[in-house]
Amino acid sequence: MKNRLVLYSIICFIFSFLNFLEDYNESSFFEAIQDQIYLFPLSFIFIFLIYLIRKKTVESNCYKKNELFEKRTLLFFISITTILIFSILLRLISLVLFNDDEAIVFFDTLFFAILIIVSSIVLFIYLFEIYLENEFEKKELKIRLKENEIENLNDKYMSLKNQLNPHFLFNCFSNITSLIDTEPEKAIKFVEELSNVFRYSLTNSDEILVTLSEELTLLNSYFELQLIRHQGLIKLESSVDVSKLDYLIPPLTLEILIENALKHTIFDKHNPLKISIYSKEEQLIIENNFNPKINAIKTESFGIGMKSIKKQYVLLNCGEPSFKIENNIFRVEIPLIKSSYD
């Protein structure tokens, strides 16, 4: 508000100064100054009232709940009403102050001159406010994108850190060592899957979106590693419609969700971790039996991955993921994004 006051004061000052120069050429200096003493505050009040009317309209609930076309229609109606009211009001003031002729016509040339001037001022204020609002939205978007970029870098770092942490690598190398003597072909397969996981994480983590097919390929490699590590204590069922494989999702989404299930769920040979992935319309559903570790939900790490996925979808403006617990099932619904090339 303070910035607007200063801005419109400057505009009124420029207008008054130009008017002063014109009056000075036709009358004395003091008469020209005297005119501006009245003109400046009146023009400021006039402009500021137009600004306030628009501001209150934009901030009203009636305006906010409407669609874009309805918003523009409402603003157009308000602007026309404002122009007519102020034009009639100024014409009445001119009749009271400057006219002694009893036979004066209200809707004369002067009225239409006032109408044109008021219309020009209202149009200027509306266009100027739209410009300022667009600039503000751009600045806000840049800030949000910067914040998201920093968070994404942190998420990618954490994902790579989880893959490269000594415990994970120790288990991988231990599994390879034990398999080399007993099942050399399985050991080779294990190394291939491990390299697939690292290659995907390093090459695709910078992408905004990847195909569901690529994500499922990564998931298969990642799950093979976990399957050998947990030796039959986890199960994965995948039933994704082939027609959805070219749809898009943010990279590492499935790995984050599976990692979350493995990290925070209690499972053993009597109660294995069962993960199910399937498509339903334009949603990808990921479910697992819900048997959380003590205080798992209260820990910060439980929600980090889900927050990251949510924020990415907010910026993409392509639906919103949902996370639910129903009948001891943890259910995640991820919107599938249709490729623009389809």
Side-chain angles (χ1 to χ4, degrees):
M1 179 71 76
K2 185 179 178 181
N3 292 335
R4 292 292 199 286
L5 287 172
V6 173
L7 183 62
Y8 288 127
S9 296
I10 293 171
I11 292 171
C12 290
F13 176 79
I14 293 171
F15 175 72
S16 295
F17 180 72
L18 293 173
N19 190 264
F20 165 77
L21 293 177
E22 184 181 352
D23 288 351
Y24 182 63
N25 290 328
E26 299 175 357
S27 59
S28 66
F29 175 81
F30 292 105
E31 288 178 346
I33 287 291
Q34 189 177 13
D35 287 344
Q36 306 323 307
I37 291 173
Y38 296 106
L39 180 63
F40 179 81
L42 285 173
S43 59
F44 176 78
I45 292 170
F46 173 57
I47 289 175
F48 195 66
L49 281 174
I50 295 172
Y51 160 73
L52 280 180
I53 291 170
R54 185 188 182 278
K55 183 175 183 291
K56 294 298 181 182
T57 303
V58 172
E59 291 177 351
S60 67
N61 292 328
C62 178
Y63 179 86
K64 289 179 180 178
K65 69 182 181 181
N66 286 327
E67 298 296 328
L68 181 61
F69 177 76
E70 293 170 331
K71 286 179 178 179
R72 288 176 176 174
T73 303
L74 179 60
L75 278 179
F76 177 76
F77 174 76
I78 295 295
S79 65
I80 294 297
T81 306
T82 304
I83 289 169
L84 291 174
I85 291 173
F86 275 93
S87 297
I88 293 170
L89 184 62
L90 289 173
R91 182 65 180 118
L92 287 171
I93 292 171
S94 71
L95 286 174
V96 172
L97 297 178
F98 307 111
N99 255 298
D100 297 327
D101 189 351
E102 295 180 0
I104 193 70
V105 178
F106 188 86
F107 296 103
D108 59 359
T109 305
L110 181 58
F111 172 79
F112 289 106
I114 291 171
L115 184 67
I116 292 170
I117 293 170
V118 172
S119 300
S120 301
I121 294 172
V122 170
L123 180 63
F124 168 78
I125 292 172
Y126 272 56
L127 291 177
F128 188 67
E129 287 297 322
I130 290 170
Y131 168 76
L132 292 178
E133 287 167 1
N134 287 339
E135 288 300 309
F136 179 77
E137 287 177 4
K138 286 178 185 177
K139 189 181 290 185
E140 286 287 303
L141 182 58
K142 284 180 181 178
I143 292 170
R144 278 170 30 207
L145 286 171
K146 192 69 179 176
E147 289 175 350
N148 187 71
E149 183 181 343
I150 293 169
E151 289 174 359
N152 278 346
L153 286 173
N154 184 59
D155 293 337
K156 290 166 188 174
Y157 166 74
M158 291 302 297
S159 179
L160 289 172
K161 183 180 177 183
N162 286 334
Q163 292 170 6
L164 293 168
N165 75 71
H167 184 65
F168 177 76
L169 290 175
F170 176 77
N171 282 320
C172 288
F173 292 141
S174 295
N175 288 324
I176 293 170
T177 303
S178 63
L179 289 171
I180 286 174
D181 292 332
T182 57
E183 299 176 88
E185 290 184 1
K186 204 169 185 178
I188 294 171
K189 176 69 173 174
F190 187 91
V191 173
E192 288 176 351
E193 301 294 1
L194 183 61
S195 65
N196 288 337
V197 170
F198 283 119
R199 186 184 303 111
Y200 182 93
S201 298
L202 292 170
T203 57
N204 286 359
S205 60
D206 288 333
E207 298 293 331
I208 297 174
L209 293 167
V210 294
T211 64
L212 179 57
S213 176
E214 290 175 304
E215 273 289 288
L216 288 172
T217 300
L218 166 70
L219 177 63
N220 289 333
S221 295
Y222 181 74
F223 197 80
E224 282 295 324
L225 298 179
Q226 298 297 341
L227 195 60
I228 294 172
R229 177 184 171 188
H230 295 288
Q231 298 182 358
L233 301 181
I234 56 176
K235 296 179 181 180
L236 175 66
E237 294 180 3
S238 181
S239 176
V240 177
D241 191 340
V242 178
S243 64
K244 305 298 181 187
L245 293 179
D246 289 331
Y247 278 62
L248 306 171
I249 61 173
L252 303 175
T253 296
L254 296 181
E255 185 194 353
I256 289 171
L257 293 173
I258 301 304
E259 201 173 90
N260 195 70
L262 289 167
K263 188 175 182 180
H264 298 289
T265 305
I266 297 173
F267 55 92
D268 52 37
K269 62 181 180 180
H270 301 296
N271 185 25
L273 175 62
K274 298 177 182 178
I275 301 170
S276 177
I277 300 175
Y278 60 93
S279 56
K280 184 179 180 182
E281 296 178 352
E282 294 194 353
Q283 299 277 333
L284 185 69
I285 315 298
I286 301 96
E287 296 177 340
N288 66 269
N289 48 315
F290 187 68
N291 187 22
K293 295 178 181 177
I294 298 174
N295 295 327
I297 298 177
K298 296 179 181 179
T299 60
E300 186 179 350
S301 61
F302 182 79
I304 288 176
M306 290 180 283
K307 286 179 182 177
S308 169
I309 294 169
K310 273 190 173 183
K311 285 178 181 177
Q312 289 185 73
Y313 272 92
V314 167
L315 280 174
L316 290 167
N317 194 25
C318 296
E320 183 179 351
S322 69
F323 304 87
K324 305 174 186 174
I325 301 171
E326 296 177 345
N327 302 320
N328 290 325
I329 297 294
F330 185 68
R331 177 187 174 96
V332 181
E333 297 181 4
I334 300 293
L336 294 172
I337 302 166
K338 195 169 185 179
S339 172
S340 58
Y341 296 105
D342 289 350

